[in-house]
Amino acid sequence: MKKIFALMLALALCLSMVGGAFAEESRGTIMWLSNLSSGIQYETTRDYLTAICEKMGYKFTIVYGDMFNDAAGNLTAVSNGMTSDVVGLIASQDGGLQSIMEQYPELYVAGYNTDMTSVFTAGGANEAVLQKPKFLGTICDGFQDGADMGHQYFEVVKAKGWTKVSVVNFPGYAYPNQTAAVNAFMADVEAYNATAEAPITVVSEPLTLEFQPLADSYFLENGHDDLDAIVAFCAGIDFVYPTMVTAKLNGFCDMRTQIITGGFNNNADIIADIGEDKNIAWICISPSEDPAYPMVLLDNAISGTQFADFAVERIDSKPYVIDSVADIDAAMNLGMLGSGDVTKAQVSVDDVLNLCVRFNAEATYTGLKDLFASEQVTVDALLK
């Protein structure tokens, strides 16, 4: 009987271990409501999140948000991709977020690559989301306050010594932060010109692109043929740069005109045209490692081990500035952004696990925020 009992006990222990391993491999699915569907930034985010989820024990799936951040479109996207094992949502769109969380009340939600203005603004369409206990906050695509982006772009123009520029942006109904950025930029120019020996002229009113490329006729308009630079708060590499290059080839645009903007494209010709004296003088994007931020919050919440010092917030993304040939070479070859190689992440998959309370009892929310605000996630870190 003793032998039989020992055998049964050993069998029970084995089954327990197998069951535990199975549970660890089946923690549920993390869904990403993406604002992208192609390109190197999309692919890098997809592969990075896939690697993190696999190491943490989750499955990973992607649904695609509405191009215009439409509430109904985003809800439909999530609903069409929803399965019973989805336990967490990484939202890169805020349209319809309240409806999504009401329809799926057990779903934990954290944001990435979105400032969630409609959530964090009094009277916003999704303000009620802030009161939902399963909403965990967001890491923005850049600054939570668009005015900070306007100040940042102005400082670039001033540092470059440019005195004749134009401004292009996306519509405020889709990107309210860009409206704030334009207003702050124009205010900075006005204040600077009050005492400047060489004032900055902003040629014509800022142009709002309705998600269409800059028109060829833009450079035929008065004053646009000899600009120092185009300040493109929109995704200028895709929507402004091609038109500018064509205009130069046709003799409609001064060969010295440059562009400063956000966004990224790993097309070889574009990469070769980024740097101090190139057509693209300066770009600023968010670090490729930012998706780790919502994953840490989601894992803590799903595991019931949230940070003791946790607060629902939106935090700025650290500016990932590329403004030299050395910078773009480093981003393409040494970091995850250009290579698509997850092993080159400046916050490794193992680092991400160490930020989670489940894997590191001493992990704190303050430490998480400090990391994503640090030089570790910048281009400069790759050059050291």
Side-chain angles (χ1 to χ4, degrees), residues 22-262:
F22 178 78
E24 186 65 17
E25 293 172 0
S26 306
R27 297 183 65 81
T29 294
I30 302 297
M31 175 187 286
W32 176 30
L33 174 64
S34 175
N35 62 330
L36 304 170
S37 59
S38 62
I40 187 65
Q41 288 177 291
Y42 163 77
E43 293 168 2
T44 300
T45 300
R46 176 199 64 199
D47 294 348
Y48 189 45
L49 283 173
T50 298
I52 294 171
C53 284
E54 287 179 354
K55 197 71 178 276
M56 286 185 173
Y58 299 100
K59 297 176 184 176
F60 177 64
T61 189
I62 305 173
V63 296
Y64 301 97
D66 182 84
M67 176 180 177
F68 299 100
N69 195 25
D70 175 71
N74 287 340
L75 175 59
T76 298
V78 171
S79 297
N80 288 344
M82 184 60 65
T83 55
S84 60
D85 67 336
V86 174
V87 292
L89 176 70
I90 297 175
S92 292
Q93 301 267 43
D94 63 351
L97 195 56
Q98 180 177 336
S99 298
I100 291 169
M101 296 194 72
E102 288 174 353
Q103 184 159 326
Y104 304 102
E106 300 305 311
L107 192 66
Y108 284 103
V109 177
Y112 148 70
N113 215 27
T114 171
D115 53 56
M116 292 197 174
T117 299
S118 70
V119 174
F120 285 89
T121 300
N126 294 288
E127 182 186 12
V129 166
L130 275 179
Q131 305 307 316
K132 297 189 178 296
K134 293 185 183 289
F135 177 67
L136 306 173
T138 186
I139 185 167
C140 301
D141 180 18
F143 301 108
Q144 58 182 286
D145 185 348
D148 290 336
M149 179 166 60
H151 300 319
Q152 179 192 34
Y153 277 53
F154 169 75
E155 290 300 326
V156 175
V157 170
K158 185 173 72 170
K160 295 284 188 183
W162 291 330
T163 57
K164 188 175 184 182
V165 302
S166 65
V167 174
V168 182
N169 62 284
F170 280 149
Y173 64 78
Y175 292 96
N177 265 10
Q178 290 196 14
T179 299
V182 170
N183 291 339
F185 178 85
M186 298 297 286
D188 284 350
V189 169
E190 182 178 359
Y192 174 77
N193 287 348
T195 58
E197 293 183 8
I200 298 168
T201 299
V202 179
V203 178
S204 69
E205 290 296 313
L207 174 67
T208 298
L209 294 180
E210 292 288 338
F211 304 103
Q212 297 292 326
L214 187 68
D216 294 333
S217 60
Y218 184 79
F219 294 98
L220 300 178
E221 297 175 13
N222 186 34
H224 289 172
D225 60 337
D226 63 345
L227 297 168
D228 289 326
I230 299 174
V231 179
F233 291 104
C234 58
I237 287 181
D238 293 325
F239 288 84
V240 176
Y241 170 79
T243 304
M244 185 181 79
V245 171
T246 299
K248 287 188 176 185
L249 291 174
N250 292 329
F252 301 144
C253 176
D254 194 307
M255 295 300 290
R256 297 177 299 106
T257 301
Q258 295 180 288
I259 182 174
I260 63 172
T261 191

Side-chain angles (χ1 to χ4, degrees), residues 151-373:
H151 300 319
Q152 179 192 34
Y153 277 53
F154 169 75
E155 290 300 326
V156 175
V157 170
K158 185 173 72 170
K160 295 284 188 183
W162 291 330
T163 57
K164 188 175 184 182
V165 302
S166 65
V167 174
V168 182
N169 62 284
F170 280 149
Y173 64 78
Y175 292 96
N177 265 10
Q178 290 196 14
T179 299
V182 170
N183 291 339
F185 178 85
M186 298 297 286
D188 284 350
V189 169
E190 182 178 359
Y192 174 77
N193 287 348
T195 58
E197 293 183 8
I200 298 168
T201 299
V202 179
V203 178
S204 69
E205 290 296 313
L207 174 67
T208 298
L209 294 180
E210 292 288 338
F211 304 103
Q212 297 292 326
L214 187 68
D216 294 333
S217 60
Y218 184 79
F219 294 98
L220 300 178
E221 297 175 13
N222 186 34
H224 289 172
D225 60 337
D226 63 345
L227 297 168
D228 289 326
I230 299 174
V231 179
F233 291 104
C234 58
I237 287 181
D238 293 325
F239 288 84
V240 176
Y241 170 79
T243 304
M244 185 181 79
V245 171
T246 299
K248 287 188 176 185
L249 291 174
N250 292 329
F252 301 144
C253 176
D254 194 307
M255 295 300 290
R256 297 177 299 106
T257 301
Q258 295 180 288
I259 182 174
I260 63 172
T261 191
F264 190 75
N265 189 313
N266 68 331
N267 175 281
D269 291 335
I270 294 176
I271 294 303
D273 211 4
I274 298 174
E276 302 90 336
D277 59 348
K278 309 286 187 175
N279 279 320
I280 304 168
W282 180 97
I283 60 173
C284 182
I285 56 178
S286 297
S288 300
E289 292 75 14
D290 278 3
Y293 177 86
M295 271 305 305
V296 170
L297 299 184
L298 286 172
D299 184 70
N300 284 351
I302 293 165
S303 303
T305 55
Q306 193 56 274
F307 298 119
D309 61 338
F310 176 64
V312 175
E313 297 178 306
R314 56 175 173 171
I315 68 168
D316 290 342
S317 178
K318 182 73 174 178
Y320 194 87
V321 173
I322 299 173
D323 62 359
S324 69
V325 172
D327 284 350
I328 191 61
D329 285 347
M332 293 304 296
N333 299 308
L334 303 178
M336 181 171 64
L337 171 67
S339 67
D341 185 347
V342 172
T343 66
K344 294 183 177 180
Q346 290 166 250
V347 179
S348 72
V349 173
D350 287 338
D351 288 340
V352 178
L353 266 62
N354 195 51
L355 293 166
C356 300
V357 178
R358 179 161 66 102
F359 301 97
N360 175 13
E362 311 224 341
T364 65
Y365 182 52
T366 299
L368 178 71
K369 291 193 294 181
D370 286 349
L371 174 62
F372 283 92

